[in-house]
Each structure stands twice: as structure tokens, then as C-alpha cells.
Amino acid sequence: MNPYYPNLLSPLKVGTVTLKNRICLAPMNLREVDHNGGFTARTIAFNERLAKGGVALITLGEACVSQTTGSSESFMLRITNPGAFFSLCDIAEAVHRWGGKISMEMSHAGALCIPQNNFGNQPMSASAYIKPTGVAVREMTVEDMEQVAEDFGNAALTLKNAGFDMVQFHAGHGWLIHQFLSPRTNKRTDEFGGSLENRCRFPIMCLQNIREKVGKNFPVDMRMTGDEIIEGGYHIEEGKEIARLLSPYVDMIQVSTGGIYHPDATARMSPGVFMEKGCNVDFAAAFKSVVDIPVSTVAGINEPNMMEQTIKDGKADLILMGRGLICEPDMPNKLAGGRMEDCNRCLRCNECHGRLFAKNWFLCTLNPEVGFEDRLSIPAAPEKKKKVLVVGGGPGGLMAAWTAAKRGHQVTLCEKGSELGGAIRFADHVYFKRDMAYWRHQMEKRVAESGVDIRLNTEVTADYIREMKPDAVICAVGADPAQPPIPGLDNSKVIVGATMHDSDQNYGDKIVIIGGGLVGCESAAELHAEGKDVTVVEMLPGIAPGCGVAQSNALRIGMTGVKVLTKTACKRVTDEGVWVQTEGEEEKLLPADSVILSAGLRPRSALVEELQTASVPEFYTIGDCAAARKMGDAIREGYYTAVNL
Ligand SMILES: Cc1cc2nc3c(=O)[nH]c(=O)nc-3n(C[C@H](O)[C@H](O)[C@H](O)COP(=O)(O)OP(=O)(O)OC[C@H]3O[C@@H](n4cnc5c(N)ncnc54)[C@H](O)[C@@H]3O)c2cc1C
Ligand SMILES: Cc1cc2nc3c(=O)[nH]c(=O)nc-3n(C[C@H](O)[C@H](O)[C@H](O)COP(=O)(O)O)c2cc1C
Ligand code: SF4
């Protein structure tokens, strides 16, 4: 028994397979297939890295069971594609090498298929309807259902033959099986619609086919939406009943919640910072009360003590983590060794999700190695130990200093201010940024313990560098708040957003925020939660541009109650408030006790140029002072630079 996490790290039997602990990877489709239609080396390396970190079960994300229908995107693996088989064997072997078990989420998108990704075939579902895009969905015939059930069975057998330990049947998140289970989308009047028993008939056909093909000793897992969250969908009581009806055909149930059919439901799937951690645990507990097979829980769980308690209290048998393991792949092994303080805690910032959908591969704010597992890790000690000066103690400087010191360089970190953390110091004061603050304090400790010479209250100049004579300077001096040309910004009502937490000043009740970027929107959410009357003014047609769907859905929840004026220009600030003009309307006054300026950041380029005049052999500019962006960019650049020194 593990002395630190006796419940979380205890084994569990799922059908005939024993999992070595209760920490499993939630399915994540990484949207990468090679030219044969199999997994890329990068996907295999990503999953092998997680197995190495000690995770008990890896369930690979959505892959399509059918050859000519069923795919919602062009980068989705088709399980029975002969060209994919070798990569399936390879990934199974890579996970087994580290004692992990492997499964795959088998899916069919039904109505959500896109014809061009399915050889022009029309999407089909439980019932016919016209999608908002104008594409017509046709009602499935019994022959269609028999074909899809056969496809599920064949896909499961393929995975078994490739060396997988189990398979997962995807019955949630709004895809085909869910379309049959939900009264929102299943309007049939035959034996496949209407009553719950009827709505479960096609899912059972698929499960029976899977069982016939893989035999009784091969575990079958099922992912389900526990509660559809929105009106017209099923809720937890009906969810429990579905679980009870389907459980005789499966060996385990994963209870997720919501899905991609509505922003409020999607927000519950990969919850952001405005939702409670473990917001779906009670749904798993409800399922456990009606089935006698293992039940897992998922969503926004990143604290080891919470995981241990959930298992101990019998609310779930397994904890699934998606993002928590992306940002800390070594979590299971670290917990086993009592190194919980050393685990990165996922920020629930959803940058990974946003990147995946914008660029087809994901990165993580906190873990700079994600996506480069096969190519990038801290190399052995350098041939020449260098004297390295890191200028600036924000996220970029902290990561650079820590990584360079771990490699054996002699590192000095100078910070002008009295504390480390740079622009993210604000996180200490914001209830939904606790994990960001946690990372900052973790990094302060890591840097100090790695032997870096930390010099606070030390403003670096070109002369300072000349005197010190380092071999390399890593310049991470950050950015200054931008000052748009709006008359009246010198009014005492105006507070620069980046300094909002630097004093205990009372900002009054009525607040206008100039700038609807992510930072302005999060400030609005924070002030609104404190009971203020908040209006955000944004020139562009939408707020938080550049945010992915998951981030926008999270913000939607956080900003409920905040007034937002888009396509609106700020004309001037006066003692009464802010004069604005919305496109096509007259100028109007927004009365305000305080005006928060959140108009973006500008890199400290002049300072960088000044420091460069010191002419050191190596000079690197990283993070916001290269281009003002996000914390993850600064962290990655700090890491890459230090790895290459
Ligand atoms: C209010 C606010 C909220 C934000 N929220 C988010 C968020 O939710 N998610 C996200 O990803 N990003 C967020 N960002 C952006 C993020 O904080 C930055 O991208 C990130 O901090 C950049 O890191 P950095 O190390 O490059 O610079 P900084 O964090 O700006 O650090 C630069 C450091 O250099 C020091 N310095 C400057 N000149 C000198 C000198 N001459 N000598 C020594 N030290 C010097 C400064 O004092 C500072 O500590 C936010 C930014 C702000 C302002
Ligand atoms: C990058 C990414 C990809 C995902 N892909 C899938 C998927 O293919 N299938 C699925 O059922 N859920 C998918 N999800 C949802 C996760 O499985 C998980 O339920 C969700 O992220 C909540 O867990 P977490 O808070 O531990 O990340 C994905 C989530 C992320 C972040
Ligand atoms: S990008 Fe953000 S949400 Fe995604 S894993 Fe990393 S820290 Fe977590």
C-alpha cells in the first residue's frame, strides 16, 4: 500500500485486466494521422511519455469505427483502415513498455459528420433534420444501424488484435450513440425511439456486436454523458437509468458530462477556471449507486488530495485526467514517491484545446515539452559550463533560470522588483487564478533550490552586464501596458489593468473596462464576482479574440452578468465616466466610479536594445519583451533557450 495515496494508488480490476493505480488518461483526439492513416510518431511519443509517468490506463481519443461515414474531421484515425494497423500495434507496445494499459475511444459522429470528410456521404442520425449550415441529416434505417453496429464490432476486434487491453464505446458528448440516447435528438416513433428502453436499443446492438467479436474476457468500457445540462436533454436521473440498462454489456463506465451540442454543455466537458474543480464527481457517485461495475469521474481534477478523497469516499473508482496529465505527465510516479509538491497543477486555461483546434497540435502553458516528446528533453550537462545572466523574474525568466541551472550552468537571475513572478503576480489576488499563483510560488522554490543566485531589487543595465561579463544573457524584461490615444486617460479614475492589484484602493461600484481582450474580460469577471456593476467596451465585433472555443465557453460562464459593448469606440474619459460610440449610434456616457484600462501590452523593446549594447557573446530575447503574448509563450521560450545553451 502506498503511504501517501493508499486509495488512489491501489490497483483495480476491470473485467479481466488489472490497472496498477486509479489514475487514467482521459481520451484526447490529438488530430494527427500520418499519410497511411495511422498515428504519427509524435502521437505515439506523447502517449509513451504519459505511460512512463506511471498512468495506469491510457484511453486514446476519438477514432472513427466506419470507413466511409462517421468522421467529424479530416484528421481522425479510422480504426479498421489497414494502413493504420502497424501504428496501433506500435502505440500499444509503447504504452506496455512502461507497465501501462491501453484502450481507444471508438466513435461515430452521426449527424455531426462532415460530408467532405466522409466521401461526400450525407450525415445520418437517429432522426432527420436540417443543420444550421443547411446540410440535411437523414434518418438511419435499420440496415444503417446494423452496418454501424458491425463497424463497432470490427473496430474493437482490430484493436484487440493490435494488442490493446480494452476498448471504449463512446456513447456521450453529442456523437451518434448519444444522438440515439437523447430525447433532444431522437424523435423516432419506431422501436428505436420514444421510451428509454427504445432509445437504448441501437446502443445495445452495437455493444452486443462488440462483445460477439472480442469475446467475454476482453474488457469493454463506455464513456457517457451523465447529464446533458441543457433544457430538453436528459438529466442525471435518466442518465442513471441509461447506465443501468447498458451496464450489463460493459465492464466499466466513464462519466463525463455535457458535450459539443451547446456552449453551456461544452463548458462542462473541459471546464475552465470559473467552475469548481471536480464539478462532475457527484454524477459519477450517482452512477455508482445503480451499477456494480467500476465507474470513473473526469473534469477539472488536478489536486491529488481531492483525487484520493474521491476514491476513499467511494464516489468514483478511477480518476481520469486529460489536461492534468498533459501539464504533469509524471504525476502518478511523483505521487507514489511523495513528491506531490513537485507536481504542476493544470491551470484549466484551455490553451491546449484552443491550439489543437487552431493549429492541429497542442501545446501546454506549463509543460514546454508537450508535442516534442520525441525530440526535446533536457540534454546532458553542456561541454562548457557557462556564466548565464537572466534578466527579469517573470515566467520566462523563471523557466530559463531553472532549466539552465538544472543543466549545470552558473546562473544569476536579476529582478528589478522585490518579488519574482513578473506580470503574473496578480494571480495571488484572484480567486480563479489560484493555480497560476501556485505555479509561481512553486517556481520560486524550484529556482532557489536549483542553486540560482537570485538578486531581487536589482535593475539590470548595460553597464551591469559589462561589469558582470556573462557568457550569455537571457533577456526576459516583459512588456508595458499600452496607452491608446484616448483623451482623458490621465484622469484619476483611470487605473491601468496590470496594476489593479498593486494597492487596496476601493474602485467604487460602477466600473468600465476599456478593452475586451482575455485580460480585460477576466478582470471584468473578477470585479463582477465582487458585486460590481461592470461594463466592457471593445472596438472589435467580439471579445477575447484568439481564444479557442473552450476558453470562450469558460469566459461565457465567468462573465454572466457583465455588460459587453462591442463595435464600440471609447471617445474620452471625463470625471463622469467614459464617453463611447457604438457603430451606427450616437455618443453616450457610461457613468463610472473607476475606469480600468486593459488595452494590451507593448514589449520593452527600447530596454532590450539598450541591454544589447553590452555586447555579450550570446544574447537571447524571450517572452513578452520579444512580443507581448501569453505566459506559455514566455515559458516555452525560456525553456528552449536554456536547453540550447
Ligand atoms: C493583468 C495580466 C493578466 C494576465 N493574464 C494572463 C493569463 O491569464 N494567461 C496568460 O497566459 N497570460 C496572461 N498574461 C500575460 C502574461 O502574464 C505574460 O505573457 C507573461 O508574464 C510574460 O512573461 P515574461 O517573463 O516575458 O515577462 P513578465 O512577466 O512581464 O516579467 C518581466 C520581469 O522583468 C522585470 N524587469 C524589467 N526590467 C528589468 C530590468 N532592467 N532588470 C531586472 N528586471 C527587470 C520586471 O520587473 C518583471 O518582473 C497576463 C498579463 C497581465 C498584465
Ligand atoms: C485537447 C483535448 C482533446 C480532447 N479530445 C477528446 C476526445 O477525443 N474524446 C473525448 O471524449 N473527450 C475529449 N476531450 C475531453 C477530455 O477527455 C476530458 O473529458 C476533459 O478534458 C475534462 O477532463 P480534464 O479536466 O482532466 O482535462 C478532450 C479534451 C482536451 C483538452
Ligand atoms: S494548456 Fe492550460 S489547460 Fe491545457 S494542460 Fe496546460 S495548463 Fe492545463
Side-chain angles (χ1 to χ4, degrees), residues 19 23-27 44 46-52 55-61 91 94-96 100-105 164-166 254 325:
L19 304 180
I23 305 178
C24 304
L25 181 71
I44 297 173
F46 170 78
N47 285 287
E48 177 165 3
R49 177 67 187 83
L50 289 163
K52 186 178 172 193
V55 69
L57 172 68
I58 286 180
T59 302
L60 303 174
I91 202 165
V95 169
H96 289 156
K101 304 287 184 206
I102 183 160
S103 176
M104 184 186 278
E105 186 182 54
F164 278 58
D165 302 284
M166 61 176 89
Q254 282 193 6
L325 287 167

Side-chain angles (χ1 to χ4, degrees), residues 26-30 61-62 105 168 170 173 175 223 256 269-271 298-301 320-324 326 348 350 352-353 356-357 362:
M28 290 183 286
N29 171 12
L30 304 183
E62 263 142 29
E105 186 182 54
Q168 184 179 73
H170 198 356
H173 291 174
W175 306 115
R223 185 164 234 213
S256 180
M269 228 171 78
S270 292
V298 68
I301 307 177
L320 296 188
M321 267 187 289
R323 295 166 298 170
I326 295 175
R348 292 174 294 147
N350 275 326
C352 47
H353 208 281
L356 184 64
F357 285 89
F362 65 98

